[in-house]
C-alpha cells in the first residue's frame, strides 16, 4: 500500500475526531483563526481549509451559533456551541470515552 | 499582482460556487481568515506573492473549498447501486442500437448506406440516450421525494462520488499564450472584415447580388462595428499585459458588450443591411440571435460581478 493510501486512512481516522475537537473548544466563543490556534496549541492541528468550512456546516446544522464582532482589528465571526450543540457535545464526549476505553483494550491485546 | 488582489480573487472564485444566500457572509469571513493566516505565515517578513500562493494552494482549489462549505447533499444513486445503474444505462443503449441499427440499414428507405446510417444516428441512435437520462431523472425525483419526507432542509440534491475537478487557484488569471494567440487572430481579422464590401464587389454573379451590402448600411452603420471591435481589442490587450481580469476591466467589458448589442439592434432596426431582401431577413435573424446571446452572457457576468466579495462589510448584530 502506498504512502498516499496510508495518509488517506489516517485522515479518515482523524475525521471523526475533528468535529468533537472543534466542539470542545467552542464552549467559549472563538473565531476561525483563534480556534485553529487553540487546537494546534493543544496538539490537534487541523488544516485551515478543513476547519473553516466545518464551522459553517456545524452552524447550518444548528450545532453552533455565530455573530460578527469588531473588537481589535478586522471584523471576525465568533462561533460558540448552541444548546443543541452542547447536548451533542455531551453525547459525543461520552461516546468518545467509551470508544477510547474499548480501543485501549483492543490495542493492548 | 498584490497579495490582497490574489486573496480577493480567490475568495470570489470560492463564493461564486456557493448558494447566493451564503456568498457575502462566507466571503467576508474567508477573506479575513486568509489575511490572518497569511500574516501568521509571513511572520516578520514582508508578504510576497509566493507566500500567498502557497497558502491558497494548501487551502485548496476553489471548487474543493466550496464543496467543503456545502452540506453533504442527497445521494440520488447510492454507491451500492452505481454498478447496476451503469449496466442498465450502457446495456440499455447498446440493446436499443442492436435492435434499431439493423432495421434502419436493411429497410430500403434510402438508396445509399451513408444516408441510412445518418438517418439512424440522428433518430434511433440518438434517442437511445434517453434511457440513462430517464434513469437518472427517476433516481433524482425518488431521492428528492425521500428527502422531503424526512423534513431536513439543510441538504441539497447532488450526485455522489463527484470528483473535484483540477482547477486553477484563481480563475481571473488569463493564460497569456492563449490570449496572445486569440488577440493576434482578432487583430488580423478586423482589417479582413473591414474589406468585406471590397471582396463582395469582386464576386461573380449570383453571389455578388446575393451578398451585396446596402450602401447606407456600409456608409453609416457598419463602421461603428469597427469602433466597438477596436475598443474591445484595446481592452483585451490591456488585460493581457495586466495578466488578469480586475473589477474595472470586467465593467468595461460589460459596457462594451451592451454597446455591441445596442449597435446590432440598430443594424437590424435601422434599415436594410443587404440589398437582397430575402438574405437581409436571414442576416437580421442571425444578428438578432447574436444580440440576445450577448445580452444574456452580459446579464450572467453582471450577476456574477454582484456576488464578488470586494469591499463587502459584515452585518454586525
Amino acid at each position: 500500500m502506498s504512502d498516499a493510501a496510508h495518509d488517506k486512512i489516517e485522515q479518515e481516522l482523524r475525521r471523526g475526531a475533528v468535529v468533537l475537537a472543534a466542539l470542545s473548544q467552542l464552549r467559549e466563543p472563538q473565531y476561525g483563526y483563534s480556534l485553529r490556534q487553540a487546537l494546534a496549541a493543544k496538539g490537534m492541528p487541523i488544516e485551515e481549509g478543513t476547519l473553516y468550512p466545518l464551522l459553517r456546516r456545524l452552524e447550518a446544522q444548528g450545532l453552533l451559533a455565530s455573530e460578527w464582532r469588531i473588537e481589535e482589528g478586522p471584523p471576525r465571526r465568533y462561533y460558540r456551541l448552541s444548546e443543541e450543540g452542547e447536548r451533542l457535545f455531551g453525547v459525543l464526549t461520552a461516546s468518545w470515552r467509551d470508544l477510547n476505553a474499548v480501543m485501549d483494550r483492543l490495542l493492548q491485546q | 499582482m498584490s497579495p490582497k488582489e490574489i486573496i480577493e480573487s480567490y475568495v470570489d472564485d470560492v463564493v461564486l460556487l456557493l448558494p447566493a444566500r451564503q456568498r457575502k457572509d462566507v466571503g467576508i469571513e474567508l477573506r479575513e481568515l486568509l489575511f490572518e493566516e497569511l500574516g501568521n505565515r509571513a511572520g516578520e517578513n514582508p508578504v510576497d506573492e509566493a507566500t500567498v500562493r502557497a497558502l491558497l494552494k494548501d487551502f485548496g482549489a476553489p471548487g474543493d473549498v466550496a464543496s467543503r462549505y456545502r452540506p453533504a447533499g442527497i445521494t440520488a444513486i447510492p454507491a451500492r447501486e452505481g454498478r447496476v445503474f451503469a449496466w442498465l444505462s450502457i446495456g440499455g443503449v447498446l440493446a436499443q442500437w442492436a435492435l434499431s441499427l439493423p432495421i434502419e440499414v436493411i429497410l430500403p428507405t434510402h438508396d445509399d448506406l451513408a444516408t441510412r446510417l445518418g438517418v439512424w444516428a440522428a433518430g434511433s441512435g440518438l434517442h437511445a440516450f434517453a434511457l440513462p437520462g430517464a434513469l437518472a431523472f427517476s433516481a433524482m425525483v425518488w431521492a428528492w421525494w425521500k428527502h422531503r419526507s424526512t423534513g431536513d432542509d439543510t441538504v441539497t440534491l447532488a450526485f455522489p462520488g463527484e470528483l473535484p475537478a483540477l482547477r486553477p487557484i484563481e480563475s481571473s488569471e488569463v493564460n497569456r499564450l492563449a490570449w496572445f494567440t486569440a488577440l493576434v487572430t482578432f487583430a488580423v481579422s478586423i482589417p479582413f472584415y473591414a474589406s468585406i464590401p471590397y471582396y463582395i464587389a469582386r464576386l461573380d454573379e449570383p453571389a455578388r447580388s446575393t451578398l451585396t451590402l446596402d450602401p447606407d448600411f456600409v456608409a453609416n452603420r457598419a463602421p461603428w462595428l469597427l469602433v466597438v471591435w477596436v475598443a474591445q481589442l484595446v481592452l483585451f490587450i490591456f488585460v493581457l499585459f495586466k495578466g488578469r481580469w480586475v473589477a474595472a476591466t470586467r465593467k468595461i467589458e460589460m459596457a462594451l458588450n451592451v454597446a455591441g448589442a445596442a449597435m446590432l439592434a440598430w443594424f437590424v432596426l435601422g434599415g436594410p443591411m443587404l440589398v437582397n431582401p430575402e438574405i437581409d431577413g436571414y442576416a437580421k435573424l442571425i444578428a438578432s440571435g447574436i444580440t440576445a446571446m450577448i445580452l444574456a452572457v452580459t446579464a450572467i457576468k453582471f450577476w456574477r460581478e454582484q456576488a464578488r466579495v470586494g469591499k463587502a462589510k459584515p452585518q454586525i448584530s
Side-chain angles (χ1 to χ4, degrees):
Chain A
M1 191 181 276
S2 65
D3 287 348
H6 286 186
D7 288 347
K8 194 174 176 190
I9 292 171
E10 192 186 342
Q11 278 177 13
E12 284 174 9
L13 184 67
R14 284 170 55 91
R15 192 168 294 151
V18 165
V19 172
L20 182 56
L23 294 179
S24 73
Q25 300 303 299
L26 289 170
R27 284 168 285 184
E28 297 295 326
Q30 300 259 25
Y31 68 99
Y33 181 75
S34 67
L35 173 63
R36 202 168 90 80
Q37 298 291 91
L39 288 165
K42 291 173 182 170
M44 186 73 179
I46 300 174
E47 288 174 2
E48 54 268 54
T50 301
L51 183 63
Y52 301 154
L54 173 68
L55 292 174
R56 285 283 174 166
R57 292 206 309 274
L58 294 175
E59 186 189 23
Q61 289 172 312
L63 301 173
L64 299 180
S66 74
E67 62 176 355
W68 283 101
R69 287 187 198 171
I70 298 180
E71 290 167 349
E72 291 173 8
R76 287 164 176 156
R77 195 171 184 89
Y78 279 79
Y79 297 84
R80 60 177 169 73
L81 290 183
S82 65
E83 280 184 26
E84 193 183 341
E86 282 181 18
R87 274 198 299 276
L88 181 72
F89 175 63
V91 171
L92 289 181
T93 303
S95 295
W96 177 264
R97 287 185 175 139
D98 289 347
L99 185 65
N100 207 23
V102 171
M103 289 305 298
D104 274 347
R105 284 200 299 275
L106 290 172
L107 295 173
Q108 279 167 10
Q109 285 174 356
Chain B
M1 201 183 326
S2 72
K4 183 173 179 286
E5 282 177 328
I6 296 173
I7 284 182
E8 289 194 341
S9 176
Y10 175 85
V11 173
D12 284 341
D13 287 346
V14 172
V15 298
L16 282 169
L17 299 170
L18 295 176
R21 65 180 184 280
Q22 278 190 316
R23 282 183 194 141
K24 185 182 166 194
D25 219 35
V26 169
I28 298 166
E29 183 185 27
L30 183 57
R31 180 184 63 188
E32 299 306 333
L33 288 169
L34 286 171
F35 282 136
E36 204 144 1
E37 292 284 353
L38 184 63
N40 180 49
R41 282 200 182 204
E44 299 295 317
N45 303 316
V47 176
D48 58 10
E49 194 173 322
T51 312
V52 186
R53 290 195 180 278
L55 169 69
L56 299 183
K57 192 178 173 197
D58 289 347
F59 207 82
D64 300 340
V65 177
S67 299
R68 286 180 218 140
Y69 272 103
R70 281 175 169 273
I74 299 171
T75 300
I77 301 167
R80 64 181 180 278
E81 290 166 15
R83 191 181 287 268
V84 175
F85 177 82
W87 277 114
L88 279 176
S89 300
I90 297 168
V93 169
L94 291 177
Q96 289 180 76
W97 285 354
L99 286 171
S100 60
L101 185 58
I103 293 170
E104 194 71 57
V105 171
I106 292 164
L107 283 180
T109 49
H110 296 281
D111 289 338
D112 61 306
L113 184 63
T115 308
R116 290 183 210 173
L117 285 174
V119 168
W120 171 81
S124 309
L126 194 60
H127 293 162
F129 288 109
L131 177 68
L135 288 173
F137 182 77
S138 307
M140 283 194 284
V141 170
W142 173 245
W144 174 80
W145 185 80
K146 282 203 297 187
H147 159 65
R148 293 278 296 178
S149 64
T150 63
D152 183 357
D153 60 359
T154 61
V155 288
T156 54
L157 199 63
F159 271 94
E162 193 179 332
L163 294 173
L166 290 173
R167 299 186 186 92
I169 288 178
E170 289 178 275
S171 66
S172 297
E173 287 183 35
V174 296
N175 179 330
R176 281 199 160 100
L177 180 63
W179 264 68
F180 179 76
T181 311
L183 280 184
V184 168
T185 310
F186 185 35
V188 169
S189 65
I190 289 177
F192 170 74
Y193 288 125
S195 321
I196 281 178
Y198 172 83
Y199 290 114
I200 289 174
R202 272 146 192 82
L203 290 172
D204 293 331
E205 287 296 350
R208 187 171 66 229
S209 57
T210 306
L211 297 174
T212 298
L213 298 169
D214 182 82
D216 176 67
F217 174 71
V218 173
N220 297 315
R221 283 173 284 158
W224 289 99
L225 190 59
L226 296 178
V227 174
V228 173
W229 278 346
V230 169
Q232 283 178 326
L233 185 63
V234 171
L235 172 70
F236 293 154
I237 289 171
F238 179 80
V239 173
L240 176 67
F241 277 102
K242 183 91 177 165
R244 66 191 293 270
W245 286 94
V246 294
T249 47
R250 284 195 200 98
K251 283 176 188 164
I252 294 170
E253 193 209 10
M254 284 189 279
L256 285 174
N257 282 351
V258 171
M263 187 192 60
L264 283 175
W266 177 42
F267 284 5
V268 171
L269 301 172
M273 294 164 67
L274 286 101
V275 172
N276 184 317
E278 194 180 349
I279 305 299
D280 185 55
Y282 286 126
K284 285 183 171 175
L285 192 65
I286 294 168
S288 301
I290 294 171
T291 307
M293 204 165 65
I294 292 172
L295 288 175
V297 168
T298 309
I300 292 168
K301 286 186 174 180
F302 181 77
W303 174 75
R304 288 172 67 97
E305 193 61 25
Q306 300 307 304
R308 291 183 185 279
V309 65
K311 295 183 174 67
K313 296 278 188 290
Q315 191 80 38
I316 307 291
S317 53

